[in-house]
Every structure is written in structure tokens, then in C-alpha cells.
Amino acid sequence: MAFNMFFNLRAIWAGRRLILLVFLICFQTQNAWSEVHLSIKDDGRSAGYVTLSWENDAPPGIYLLQQMKNEKWVTIYQGRDTASTFSGLSDNIYSFRVRNMATEGWSEVLDVRIEHHSLARALGFFVVGMILFFILCALIFLRPAHNINYKD
Amino acid sequence: MDMPILPSSLAWGIIAVFSVFWVLLAWWLGRNNNTLDDYMLAGRHVGFGFAVATAMATWVTSNTTMTAPQLTYQLGIWGMVGYSLGAVGLLLFAPLAERIRAIMPHGMTSGDFIRLRWGKTTWRVFLVISIFYSLGWLISLGMAGGILIEALSGIPYLYGMTVIIVICTLYTVYGGLKAVIGTDFVQTILIMVGVVALAIMIMDKISFEDIHSRLAEERPQLLNFLLPASIMFLFNNLFFGVGEVFHSNVWWSRAFAFAPGIGKKAYALAGLFWLPVPIVAGFIALAAPALNVNVPMPDMVAPLMASNMFGLTGAILVFVIVFAALASSLDSVLAATSDLVVKDIYKGHFRKNASEGELRKAAVWTILIIGLVTWLLSVPRLATLGSLLHFTGAFVASAIWPIVIGLLMRKGSGTQATLAMVLGTGLGLFAYFEIGFYVAALVSAIVSFLVMLPAMLGKDKYDWQDLNPENNLKTTSDNNPGNNPGNNKEPQL
């Protein structure tokens, strides 16, 4: 009797271990799937644009992309795409997170700092470019081709 | 990808119809190609209508129709206006094209000029720059084809890209430059009609107020006239366009191919026709936020917006326009790059005594090999169209001053021209990585100018007769283009 009880207990324990194992595997898989990785794919932060992309091991599904606005997460995209480009952003830090609707949990929050080039630097390039352009035009149009022949 | 608007069967149907048409047209146009001049330079007597059409169609590339919206989406109003400044390249090349035709009546490639004007070292550096640029352009065209087809129809990128490259390679092989120019004519008509239709549909469909209020709320910098990156981009794109046109054999081969007196008018008119195209194409990108369209990659914005705004009709329209635009450019770059490789590398370096027949065969094989290399490099989709294209800006802008000074002045030396190209490219690339793609060409042009500045102030040295070793022109009567071989033919094509 005691022997049978011992074996019954062992069987129950083994069964529980099996259930536990299955649960752990499922949990692990679920956990792995839930780890959507959010990253910067095309970095134009000094020009006010950025392309975010995300991926995980789960089968393709519907993704939910959220952005922190006024201290609240606001959904800015819901669909099958795995990337999104934001442009025309002003200097600031923008926070994003994403999840696959088929799985639990959000990605880690990605903070994107937009910091434009200084206006002085930009105007410097602009002015130099303009001067160079005028020189080029002068060279081409003030020395017309028909005035230059093999003898000049 | 969200659901594509164009059924894949319809997309394959459009591709098949146009592909068969291009190949048949190319075969028909190229059936009378007898000499190397016929094959590579369309017999050197292309008439005005075809000249304008080929210049226009080649310059309206998939970059115009897809990168202009990308840059508008990334850099706002100035991105759109800045891209249209690419027309300046054609406008400034117009007087140079006439000069090229007159001073090098026997010339075949831009490499010929560099070798004879600046010497062999500069020539080799130039070839590296030019071939690298051509490959970059070809890859961007192949990629654009794949991206367009995928965005509109859901057909995988690899299939679309492969079909585009294979078809264009095939018909370029069949007909040479005659086929390229002939198909360009038809493609120009398609592009012009399509762009006008698109502009009408845009004005009918979108409320400017909605676009403006949404941009002001969510993407304010796209409306900012003082957005630093786009201010830098303005002259960068101008010099990129100038560098592309001035150095590339695509434009030089046409300057040699156009009948005398045609080049200047044809390039100027093509530039004026081209000017509004990036504005129309780019504008639709600004409506993306107002219509809540997700843009996965910025270079997909044009086809995504067209299909969202105009439905199936718009998708078909954009599909046809961009397909025509990229085919007209891909064939031109293939043909011109093949000419450069055959004439300047194969004949210039390895087979100096190659016969005309041998060169003709080499040209065919070169087109096939370049097509294959383009396909291989387009498979991994390494960068966005805009950033890939502007990477080459550092290379081409460095050649502007050596070419302009070389064509118009007798001053300067090969060493200066070589240094201008090497240092311009090097520092342009440094700027590309350190600052952004929107300054690479500008920095390259500035550095190249500074290196060539002493040359402009130096003494006259060069003898123009050295540009024509074949007939060693010595008399003033030879200056009359009408006396030169190939110049006395009536415009035909």
C-alpha cells in the first residue's frame, strides 16, 4: 500500500513536473515572441527624420506602435508593416514602443533624440554653395563657347 | 506590408506588355546598325525632337519620381525645391554640349576628353569615379523598380527588380544607342502625359488646408524654410546634378550623337521641361501625414501615396510613369557605361588595335556583364535610394571643375585635375559620414574648386588641337563644324 502510494505520489509529481515543463516551454516561447526589438533603421536625427524598424520571432501579425505624447502612450500605427518613418520633427526627445498583437508585452522603450544642425552651419554651407554657383555660371556664360576656338 | 492596391496579375500584365513593346521597338530601331558609330552613337545625327526627348527621359529617372518624394518627405519644402534644381545640370551643360561637339567631332566618350586634355593619370581616376557612379545609378534604378513593384502590387522586391534589369539589358543589347533614344521618345510621352494627369488628380483630390494644418501640427519642420539640413541640401543637390551631367558619359555620348547645332537647344529645353516634374512628384509626399499613411521606408512614399490617394487608377498611372522613367534611364546608363568600358578600358588599356567588329562584340558582352553586376548589387538592397544616390555625389561633384576648366580654358595641369578629383571625393565622403548625405556633393565641389583655383589663375598652356589626334586639326577652316566628318549629315533619328 505504502509502496503503491509512493509510486502514485511519484507519478503525480512526475505529471506535475511534466506540466511545469510544458508550461515553462510555453512561457519561454511566449516570452521570446514577446521580445519585439525596436531600433533605428535610417538615422537622420540631425535632419529631423528617423526610420524605426521592429522585429521578433513570432509569425507575422499585426503590430501596434505607440509614441509618448503628453505623458500618455498614443497609438500612431497599427498594421502589418515592420517599419515607420517620422520626419519634420523638432528638437526634442521622442519615445516609442511596439508590440506584436499576437503576443504579450511591449518592446523596450526607444528614446530618439532629435537635434538639428545649427542654423549658422547650415547658412555657411548655403552661402558658400551660392558663391560657387555664381562662379560656375560666370565661367560658362561669360566665356561663351563660340568665342573659343582652337586658336584662342 | 499592408495590402497592396494593384493585383499582382495586373502588375505582371503591364510589365509584360511594356517589356514586349520595348524589346520589339529596340529590335526595329537597331536593325540597320552597321558600324560602331551607329551602335554607340546612333550615327552621330540625332535630330532635335529625339534629342530633347532622350535628354528629358534620361533625366526623369526613377530617382525623380521616387527620390524627389523621398527627399520631400524627409526634408520638406526645400527638399522638393532642391531636387528640382537638378535641372540646372542640364541647363548649364547646354552650351558645353555644343562646344564638345565642335571641338571633338570624332570623340566617343567623356573619357576621351579627360585622357587627351588632362593625361592618363587623371583619365584613370576619372574612370574609377565615373564607373562607380554609373553602377550606383544603375543599382538605384534596379532597386527603384523592385521597390515600386513591391509597394504597388506586393510582388516580392527580388522579382520586380530582376524583371526590370533583364528587360532593359535585353533591349539595350539589341539596338544600341538608337534603340535607347527611340524608346526614350515614347517613354517621354508617357511620362509627360502621366505627370500632367497626376498633377490634375492631386489638385482635385487633396485639400491644401488639410495638408498644411496636419503638417504644422505633427511635422512642423517640413514647412520650415530655415530647416538646417534642407538649407544645406539646396546647393548640394544642385552641384550633385551638375556633377552627374558634366562628367557622365550618358550626356557626353548624346553630345557626340546629336547632329551639329542641336545639343545646346535640346539640353536647355529638356532642362526646362524637367524642372516641374520633381515638384509634382514630390508634393504628394507631403500629404502622407494628413492621410495617415504609414511610410515604412522613405523611398516607398511615392507609390504608397499614389495608391492611397488615387486607388487603382492612380496606382496604374504611377506604375506606368515610373516604369517608363526608370527604363528610359536604365538603358541609357547601361549603353553609356558600356561605351566607356569598351572604349576607355578594353580598347584603351588592353586591346589598343581592336577592330570595329571586335569592339561591337565587346560592347554587347559589356552591357550583359554590367546588367548582371547591377542585378547582383541590387539584391541586398543596401541603402535607401536617396542615401545611395547621394553617396555617389561626393564622387561626381569633384569632376565639375576639371571638366569646365578643361573645356573652356587652356589653363591647368593633369596633376591639379587629378588632385581636385581625389581630394574632392575624399573630403566629400568624409562629409557624407560626418555630417550627412545632404552635404557630400557640395563639400566635394568646394574642395575641387579650391584645388583648381590656382589653375584658373595660371598661364595658358594647352593646345586645343591635341583633342583631335585623329585628324590633327591645324587650320581655322577645321573650326567650322560643317567641315568635320560626321557633321555633314542631316539629322535623321
Side-chain angles (χ1 to χ4, degrees), chain B residues 29 42 45-51 177-182 490-493:
Chain B
L29 287 165
H45 48 263
V46 176
F48 183 67
F50 279 96
L177 191 61
K178 266 187 194 169
V180 169
I181 291 176
E490 288 297 311
Q492 286 178 7
L493 187 69

Side-chain angles (χ1 to χ4, degrees), chain B residues 266-283:
Chain B
Y267 277 119
L269 203 58
L272 290 175
F273 279 152
W274 186 87
L275 197 66
V277 177
I279 305 277
V280 175
F283 179 74

Side-chain angles (χ1 to χ4, degrees), chain A residues 50-70:
Chain A
V50 66
T51 297
L52 303 179
S53 71
W54 49 90
E55 57 186 17
N56 69 341
D57 301 330
I62 304 290
Y63 290 95
L64 205 62
L65 178 68
Q66 292 191 331
Q67 182 185 350
M68 179 71 87
K69 288 181 178 176
N70 299 322

Side-chain angles (χ1 to χ4, degrees), chain B residues 75-151:
Chain B
L75 300 175
I77 303 280
W78 280 134
M80 184 169 69
V81 175
Y83 202 92
S84 72
L85 290 181
V88 173
L90 288 181
L91 295 171
L92 292 185
F93 191 66
L96 298 182
E98 188 176 71
R99 174 147 178 83
I100 290 165
R101 185 70 170 89
I103 63 172
M104 292 187 74
H106 301 285
M108 294 195 89
T109 67
S110 51
D112 278 347
F113 168 75
I114 297 289
R115 175 172 52 84
L116 295 166
R117 178 65 180 87
W118 295 120
K120 287 191 173 174
T121 308
T122 318
W123 177 46
R124 286 174 184 135
V125 171
F126 175 80
L127 286 176
V128 171
I129 288 173
S130 195
I131 288 170
F132 182 82
Y133 161 77
S134 299
L135 274 178
W137 191 2
L138 284 167
I139 294 164
S140 76
L141 292 168
M143 278 174 57
I147 292 168
L148 167 83
I149 293 171
E150 185 181 22

Side-chain angles (χ1 to χ4, degrees), chain A residues 84-85 87 117 148 150 152, chain B residues 73 219 294-295 410 464 479:
Chain A
S84 189
T85 302
S87 60
H117 293 292
I148 304 164
Y150 301 118
D152 74 340
Chain B
Y73 190 72
R219 316 278 178 104
N294 182 55
V295 180
R410 294 170 53 203
W464 295 119
N479 297 333

Side-chain angles (χ1 to χ4, degrees), chain B residues 7-249:
Chain B
S8 58
S9 55
L10 184 59
W12 281 122
I14 296 171
I15 292 170
V17 168
F18 277 101
S19 301
V20 170
F21 179 62
W22 300 144
V23 173
L24 285 178
L25 186 64
W27 167 80
W28 184 74
L29 287 165
R31 72 196 185 286
N32 292 326
N33 279 341
N34 297 318
T35 65
L36 192 65
D37 256 13
D38 284 342
Y39 191 75
M40 288 170 76
L41 297 173
R44 294 183 192 264
H45 48 263
V46 176
F48 183 67
F50 279 96
V52 175
T54 188
M56 162 86 185
T58 304
W59 206 219
V60 179
T61 70
S62 52
N63 302 325
T64 321
T65 45
M66 290 179 71
T67 313
Q70 173 188 342
L71 292 168
T72 309
Y73 190 72
Q74 289 174 320
L75 300 175
I77 303 280
W78 280 134
M80 184 169 69
V81 175
Y83 202 92
S84 72
L85 290 181
V88 173
L90 288 181
L91 295 171
L92 292 185
F93 191 66
L96 298 182
E98 188 176 71
R99 174 147 178 83
I100 290 165
R101 185 70 170 89
I103 63 172
M104 292 187 74
H106 301 285
M108 294 195 89
T109 67
S110 51
D112 278 347
F113 168 75
I114 297 289
R115 175 172 52 84
L116 295 166
R117 178 65 180 87
W118 295 120
K120 287 191 173 174
T121 308
T122 318
W123 177 46
R124 286 174 184 135
V125 171
F126 175 80
L127 286 176
V128 171
I129 288 173
S130 195
I131 288 170
F132 182 82
Y133 161 77
S134 299
L135 274 178
W137 191 2
L138 284 167
I139 294 164
S140 76
L141 292 168
M143 278 174 57
I147 292 168
L148 167 83
I149 293 171
E150 185 181 22
L152 288 181
S153 68
I155 293 171
Y157 165 81
L158 184 66
Y159 297 167
M161 181 270 292
T162 304
V163 167
I164 294 283
I165 291 177
V166 168
I167 294 303
C168 292
T169 306
L170 265 184
Y171 80 73
T172 309
V173 162
Y174 270 125
L177 191 61
K178 266 187 194 169
V180 169
I181 291 176
T183 48
D184 279 358
F185 188 80
V186 181
Q187 287 153 353
T188 300
I189 294 169
L190 283 174
I191 292 164
M192 292 300 282
V193 171
V195 167
V196 169
L198 204 59
I200 293 168
M201 289 168 83
I202 290 170
M203 285 187 282
D204 188 47
K205 192 84 180 178
I206 316 174
S207 149
F208 284 76
E209 252 184 62
D210 286 351
I211 295 175
H212 184 270
S213 60
R214 192 63 181 267
L215 288 176
E217 184 190 334
E218 286 188 9
R219 316 278 178 104
Q221 296 300 322
L222 294 182
L223 299 172
N224 183 4
F225 281 94
L226 290 176
L227 176 64
S230 56
I231 291 176
M232 296 189 218
F233 172 73
L234 272 181
F235 280 100
N236 178 78
N237 200 58
L238 187 148
F239 279 103
F240 179 34
V242 170
E244 283 182 283
V245 175
F246 279 26
H247 99 284
S248 174
N249 196 46

